[in-house]
Amino acid sequence: MGRDTQAVSGVAEYGQQVRLIAGREIICDRDGFFWDPHQWSEEVAMALAEEAGMKELNETQWRILRFLREYYFENGRSPLNRQIKEGTGISLMDLEALFPGGIKYGARRLAGLPNPASCS
Amino acid sequence: MVAFGKIIYLDNAATTFPKPREVLEEMTEVYSSLGVSPGRGSYDLSAEAEERVMAIRHQLSRFFGASDPERVIFSYNATDALNTLIQGLITPGSHVVSSRLEHNSVLRPLYHFKEHGVIDLDLVPFDSEGFIHPTAVAEAIRPNTRFVILTHASNVLGTVQPVEQIGMICRERGVPLLLDVTQTAGLLPIRMNEWGVSAVAFTGHKYLLGPTGIGGLVLSPALDVKTTRFGGTGRDSLSLIHTQAYPHRLEAGTINIAGVFGLSAGLHYVLKQGLEETYTKELAIAKRLRDGLNTIKRIRVYASDRPGQCVPIMMCHFDGMDPEDLSAILDGDFGIATRAGLHCAPLVHQDLGTSPKGGVRLSLGPFNTNEEIDKVLEAMATIFHAR
């Protein structure tokens, strides 16, 4: 956990936890995904990136995060796989390599989007 | 939407896709002409619909090697059928034997009763190749064991369990053997009477190639299952007590008639193609895939290649890449649909060491081709050589 992030309280309903990230109390699920995407800010993203071992986010990474968030708020849901590829102009294979946590635990989580539904 | 034909679909263990056009046409045609409440109206069409539904119960009874068509009960899917079965058989203080290979459709009902102190539960392990040993089942059976319930084939590993030997043990010990045939019905012959199986729970939308929303139970005459859902049956309506005559004893409310017709159409199609021919073809394609994956470094493939003891399902695990990301890359970059995660079988992944993130499951169906498999292998090689 980076210097700007810290778990504030334990598990609540549905595995929720409150974490202190970049000075803000953020409600996350048990996998660290935001419960409320509105709680995201660029400072929060930077703190999460630092926590993942990244010293900074480059322009491509910011572009991806911004696309994910814009798509989410325009459409009320996260983009599908092919929409990420079309919208960012980057293959998912390359995108996965751009973030230490990959697509789901890297890009999607740093963008402050809710946990995508899957069989986990 | 991605039009069919542009994706390579390898999630057939979840549901087969696409359904054969003949199945959809037959379902629509029969439903268009007979889609009334079967056997509940005093008009000819209702009687004809009931006759048709009964004929389908006969068809299914024969298919599963059972003896009493009235003990073919329709449900929404295998999970629904398993719940009807488990809840209708559990008695307080009894003991149940199952396995660590099971899907949550078996584990969760059993754990519900275990957690509430209703039953004791023993789960037999599987070996390094994904098989349950009959001796382990024999050792787990106690004097108060109510039933043994097992999956016929693992939905993660595709391994087909030695049901004949386990059936023999259960018969000798006087314990009903209940079989979840979700992943085998439509691929392998199932012989309830011959194997000493007291009940099978099946779904229509996987290898039986029917629509979703239809499944069922087939019971042997020696097994009585308590009613756990009550309602209208179209029979004995004066009584406020639910009828105890099969199949309505376990069917409350109007059945999914369109689904029943679709299930029948799927079964017709499966039998027309030939079980053995389909199985042999799919297994050959699965072997091509498995052998190819095994040549790619860092991919671990969990599957069996024993003929007759596996279905075309395999699970892959990769060090250094989240299974969901791999599945997303295969989908977004290559148009290949796979299933990442735990596959609703958490104990399998726990024992394989692939929990909590699971792996990527590749499950083949009747319409996969060698050309598709070559594209999948090419995609995998591209992904892993780039890293």
Side-chain angles (χ1 to χ4, degrees):
Chain A
M1 204 164 281
R3 62 184 161 80
D4 286 337
T5 67
Q6 146 189 16
V8 171
S9 65
V11 172
E13 212 175 351
Y14 308 119
Q16 287 176 8
Q17 55 180 324
V18 180
R19 295 187 58 201
L20 188 63
I21 306 172
R24 295 185 66 176
E25 287 195 354
I26 311 269
I27 303 171
C28 299
D29 73 1
R30 63 183 174 192
D31 292 328
F33 285 88
F34 281 45
W35 206 260
D36 177 5
H38 290 96
Q39 289 196 299
W40 184 91
S41 68
E42 292 196 355
E43 292 72 31
V44 167
M46 267 314 303
L48 288 172
E50 190 185 321
E51 182 184 308
M54 304 163 82
K55 286 183 181 166
E56 59 179 12
L57 289 167
N58 62 32
E59 192 42 49
T60 307
Q61 290 162 327
W62 277 119
R63 184 159 55 84
I64 292 164
L65 298 189
R66 287 189 193 109
F67 166 75
L68 291 173
R69 289 190 61 77
E70 280 164 18
Y71 189 98
Y72 181 88
F73 285 107
E74 272 174 29
N75 296 279
R77 64 162 173 82
S78 298
L80 303 175
N81 295 324
R82 66 176 181 278
Q83 290 163 340
I84 295 178
K85 187 179 172 182
E86 285 162 10
T88 61
I90 297 170
S91 73
L92 289 164
M93 198 164 67
D94 290 341
L95 195 152
E96 192 270 342
L98 276 172
F99 293 87
I103 303 165
K104 179 181 174 182
Y105 287 92
R108 287 186 189 267
R109 199 167 66 91
L110 256 62
L113 301 187
N115 203 339
S118 63
C119 186
S120 55
Chain B
M1 175 158 179
V2 177
F4 167 66
K6 289 187 178 174
I7 69 163
I8 296 173
Y9 184 75
L10 296 182
D11 195 19
N12 290 281
T15 193
T16 46
F17 176 81
K19 303 302 183 208
R21 187 173 300 277
E22 295 94 311
V23 171
L24 301 177
E25 283 172 358
E26 186 181 328
M27 179 174 78
T28 309
E29 191 186 317
V30 179
Y31 190 56
S32 300
S33 58
L34 281 178
V36 298
S37 184
R40 298 186 186 195
S42 50
Y43 48 94
D44 287 353
L45 201 58
S46 175
E48 283 168 9
E50 172 66 3
E51 196 179 352
R52 184 71 173 236
V53 169
M54 196 59 211
I56 295 168
R57 293 189 206 270
H58 278 266
Q59 179 193 21
L60 288 162
S61 182
R62 277 195 305 276
F63 179 73
F64 287 111
S67 49
D68 185 356
E70 300 216 332
R71 283 170 175 258
V72 172
I73 290 105
F74 293 114
S75 66
Y76 302 124
N77 48 45
T79 298
D80 185 43
L82 288 161
N83 269 274
T84 298
L85 193 58
I86 291 169
Q87 294 184 45
L89 288 174
I90 290 275
T91 50
S94 61
H95 171 250
V96 172
V97 176
S98 189
S99 86
R100 295 184 66 82
L101 273 180
E102 304 306 309
H103 187 277
N104 275 339
S105 56
V106 167
L107 292 174
R108 285 182 172 172
L110 292 179
Y111 266 82
H112 170 81
F113 288 109
K114 178 183 156 70
E115 291 303 301
H116 285 79
V118 179
I119 61 164
D120 283 335
L121 176 64
D122 276 313
L123 299 179
V124 298
F126 55 90
D127 66 18
S128 59
E129 290 185 73
F131 293 96
I132 296 165
H133 286 210
T135 47
V137 175
E139 284 164 13
I141 292 174
R142 300 182 197 165
N144 67 332
T145 299
R146 181 70 183 95
F147 55 81
V148 172
I149 183 164
L150 297 172
T151 184
H152 192 192
S154 162
N155 74 310
V156 179
L157 305 169
T159 49
V160 176
Q161 303 309 312
V163 173
E164 287 181 73
Q165 294 97 307
I166 295 170
M168 203 180 296
I169 290 165
C170 289
R171 198 156 31 190
E172 281 168 7
R173 305 283 288 272
V175 177
L177 171 61
L178 321 178
L179 211 55
D180 170 7
V181 297
T182 300
Q183 299 296 347
T184 52
L187 273 178
L188 289 170
I190 292 161
R191 303 185 174 104
M192 281 182 65
N193 286 346
E194 197 179 315
W195 296 348
V197 171
S198 298
V200 299
F202 67 93
T203 194
H205 69 97
K206 298 197 183 190
Y207 294 100
L208 286 172
L209 305 180
T212 50
I214 187 70
L217 272 179
V218 185
L219 306 178
S220 77
L223 188 74
D224 272 331
V225 178
K226 281 182 300 185
T227 308
T228 49
R229 277 187 297 197
F230 309 87
T233 57
R235 278 149 186 82
D236 201 17
S237 294
L238 194 61
S239 173
L240 297 179
I241 304 300
H242 194 95
T243 182
Q244 289 303 288
Y246 290 98
H248 304 99
R249 175 184 177 120
L250 301 175
E251 283 176 1
T254 305
I255 55 171
N256 174 3
I257 305 159
V260 170
F261 295 154
L263 169 64
S264 172
L267 185 51
H268 276 145
Y269 182 91
V270 164
L271 293 175
K272 195 171 145 196
Q273 302 302 308
L275 272 189
E276 198 177 334
E277 288 79 358
T278 301
Y279 178 72
T280 305
K281 179 198 150 212
E282 288 188 33
L283 223 58
I285 297 174
K287 182 180 184 319
R288 188 183 189 93
L289 177 58
R290 190 178 55 246
D291 290 351
L293 289 172
N294 276 328
T295 65
I296 301 172
K297 284 178 187 172
R298 293 168 55 210
I299 296 184
R300 270 179 291 154
V301 183
Y302 298 85
S304 172
D305 57 0
R306 297 185 197 171
Q309 291 178 269
C310 62
V311 289
I313 298 172
M314 62 196 76
M315 197 272 288
C316 304
H317 191 264
F318 316 88
D319 290 328
M321 188 185 282
D322 189 290
E324 287 189 52
D325 283 357
L326 177 61
S327 196
I329 292 168
L330 285 169
D331 180 35
D333 289 351
F334 299 97
I336 300 165
T338 59
R339 175 63 72 90
L342 296 174
H343 315 104
C344 295
L347 302 182
V348 177
H349 285 281
Q350 205 176 87
D351 292 358
L352 293 175
T354 49
S355 189
K357 289 191 174 176
V360 174
R361 182 181 68 187
L362 312 171
S363 52
L364 282 71
F367 303 113
N368 290 124
T369 62
N370 284 329
E371 291 69 32
E372 287 183 330
I373 295 312
D374 292 343
K375 286 180 184 168
V376 173
L377 293 171
E378 202 177 309
M380 289 286 201
T382 304
I383 294 166
F384 286 94
H385 290 155
R387 290 172 68 84

